[in-house]
Amino acid sequence: MAAASARLDAAMLREGAARTDFYPSVTLNGQLGWQADPASKIGRGSSGFWSLMPSVDIPIFDGDRREAQLEVARSRIDLAGAEWRKVVINAFREVEVTLFDIKELEDEVKLAERVLEAVSQRLENAQKRFAAGVADEREVVIATRDLA
């Protein structure tokens, strides 16, 4: 579930990045240093240099490409959203199945408790009947075996 949520967040961020491509961008690169011809002049800066390189990107002639990239990013958001919903629905289904299984197990435990109570009562009755001389020992042995 966390992975699906992360994919949705990433798709939304990519859509934001695609939207920012519609704005002009300015880049400024620079270098600064010195160069020494013979090794003995290292550190004295015999000839210094610098360069400054500006660049401007204005989205005038490639608007269709940027529109297509934005549309792709929006489609990925839709796809990631659908995956996230699928994951959430599956999680709810798994919880529902687990709750149903727990309910069935509770019913089985209650039934087993009632059977145990009935068999215990049968053994008690067989022992009383045997003590009164109404039943034979076989009935007590069978009731004892059933309880085990």
Side-chain angles (χ1 to χ4, degrees):
M1 201 163 176
S5 179
R7 283 191 293 272
L8 180 59
D9 290 342
M12 291 168 67
L13 289 174
R14 282 192 294 272
E15 191 257 350
R19 232 184 294 134
T20 61
D21 282 346
F22 286 96
Y23 299 108
S25 66
V26 177
T27 306
L28 189 61
N29 292 322
Q31 292 181 348
L32 176 66
W34 72 88
Q35 178 180 357
D37 290 334
S40 62
K41 293 185 178 183
I42 292 178
R44 292 190 213 143
S46 62
S47 61
F49 69 90
W50 64 272
S51 69
L52 197 56
M53 188 83 94
S55 117
V56 177
D57 180 24
I58 301 173
I60 296 175
F61 300 112
D62 61 350
D64 289 339
R65 178 183 59 86
R66 294 173 198 240
E67 285 286 339
Q69 288 175 339
L70 181 61
E71 192 60 36
V72 166
R74 287 181 177 157
S75 297
R76 287 184 178 153
I77 287 175
D78 293 342
L79 180 64
E83 285 180 24
W84 181 82
R85 284 187 292 278
K86 180 181 172 186
V87 167
V88 169
I89 288 170
N90 282 338
F92 277 116
R93 186 177 319 122
E94 288 175 10
V95 168
E96 182 181 15
V97 167
T98 303
L99 290 174
F100 182 76
D101 290 345
I102 289 171
K103 175 73 171 110
E104 280 188 340
L105 289 173
E106 287 175 347
D107 292 345
E108 287 179 18
V109 166
K110 288 177 184 175
L111 179 61
E113 288 172 349
R114 287 195 318 234
V115 167
L116 178 63
E117 180 64 30
V119 171
S120 297
Q121 186 66 37
R122 179 175 168 215
L123 175 62
E124 185 179 326
N125 288 342
Q127 288 171 340
K128 287 179 183 177
R129 289 169 43 98
F130 177 72
V134 179
D136 59 355
E137 188 177 354
R138 186 176 64 109
E139 187 177 331
V140 175
V141 169
I142 290 173
T144 305
R145 184 197 64 196
D146 288 346
L147 185 61

